[in-house]
Amino acid sequence: NQGFRHYDNQNKRLHKAMRGQGPAKTSGSSSKEQSDKSIEFITTHKDRRFFLWTHYYDPHYDYEEHPGIERFGSAKIDKYDHEIAYTDHHIGRVIDSLKAQGLWHKTVIIVTGDHGEGFGEHGIDLHGYHLYAAQTRVPFIIRVPGSEPARIEMPASHVDVLPTLANLLGQEPTQDMMGRSLLGVISGAEDPAQDRWVFQQLSYENNNEYRGAASKECHVLFNVSPNLSWELYRIDQDPMERSDIIDSPGRC
């Protein structure tokens, strides 16, 4: 809640922990309620500048059925897609509210995720303890009024959000933001297909420590502890990271 004038976490109550499952599995849903609160905030603040961050906890395991939303099948990944569609529907309600309030043409919107989800890749389900693409490659959509839609090939990271917003507000990013502004590639002033490395770090209890770096072509993983090792994936040719090529790294 640091830095926010108003912080509301009341909808946390809608998600219940399941005994013995830890934080990876909960029951309940809050996408509708989160959008309700967002629409209320937009309506109240429509006549002034505002910054709003809405955290959608759905989709989250245990994947639940939502009446009136498209179903894709009975497998876990199908149920996950169903929850994505449910959340997408309620994000759409917020966008509709911006349009109804006359704010769409002057509002920057960023949609991203704090993690992916594993469905057996590398023998791993869910998320939180690994740096493979299934867990860490996430949606990253930035909508700036007046800019042309484009798919940016340059690797990007969450650390780029703050310097990008600073630039959009007419401010210069500072070095301690760690990332870089994406305004140049969004506006077309910079090559959207340029390459760069983005970095990853993961630490959790019992001395588990991991590092990673990804470019357009390569994803290198340094498993620091408890078992020292390296892995390398040619993600431009093997996006599902099925083949570890650390013994013949080539240009990576």
Side-chain angles (χ1 to χ4, degrees), residues 129-132 202 207-212 220-233 244 246:
Y129 304 100
H130 303 277
L131 293 177
Y132 295 114
L202 173 64
N207 197 34
N208 291 274
E209 194 74 30
Y210 303 95
R211 301 283 189 274
V220 58
L221 298 174
F222 178 30
N223 304 309
V224 182
S225 64
N227 300 306
L228 186 68
S229 64
W230 293 81
E231 298 174 59
L232 181 61
Y233 300 94
D244 180 2
I246 192 65

Side-chain angles (χ1 to χ4, degrees), residues 8-21:
D8 183 345
N9 198 27
Q10 291 181 344
N11 286 336
K12 179 181 179 180
R13 73 188 190 281
L14 300 175
H15 295 270
K16 305 296 184 183
M18 303 179 77
R19 186 181 297 275
Q21 298 292 328

Side-chain angles (χ1 to χ4, degrees), residues 55-86:
H55 179 188
Y56 289 90
Y57 195 72
D58 310 325
H60 198 278
Y61 189 66
D62 193 8
Y63 316 123
E64 300 174 15
E65 187 169 341
H66 303 280
I69 301 297
E70 181 179 3
R71 297 185 64 190
F72 302 94
S74 57
K76 279 187 177 180
I77 195 167
D78 298 325
K79 294 178 179 179
Y80 180 66
D81 287 344
H82 171 76
E83 284 221 312
I84 291 174
Y86 176 71

Side-chain angles (χ1 to χ4, degrees), residues 29-101:
S29 175
S30 60
S31 287
K32 176 187 179 300
E33 290 79 6
Q34 288 292 83
S35 285
D36 289 345
K37 284 183 177 289
S38 297
I39 292 168
E40 180 183 0
F41 181 92
I42 291 168
T43 302
T44 302
H45 295 82
K46 64 182 179 180
D47 295 325
R48 69 194 82 167
R49 300 176 78 181
F50 63 81
F51 174 85
L52 169 65
W53 172 56
T54 305
H55 179 188
Y56 289 90
Y57 195 72
D58 310 325
H60 198 278
Y61 189 66
D62 193 8
Y63 316 123
E64 300 174 15
E65 187 169 341
H66 303 280
I69 301 297
E70 181 179 3
R71 297 185 64 190
F72 302 94
S74 57
K76 279 187 177 180
I77 195 167
D78 298 325
K79 294 178 179 179
Y80 180 66
D81 287 344
H82 171 76
E83 284 221 312
I84 291 174
Y86 176 71
T87 299
D88 181 74
H89 167 74
H90 287 292
I91 292 174
R93 292 176 51 228
V94 177
I95 291 173
D96 289 342
S97 174
L98 288 169
K99 293 177 178 179
Q101 305 284 357

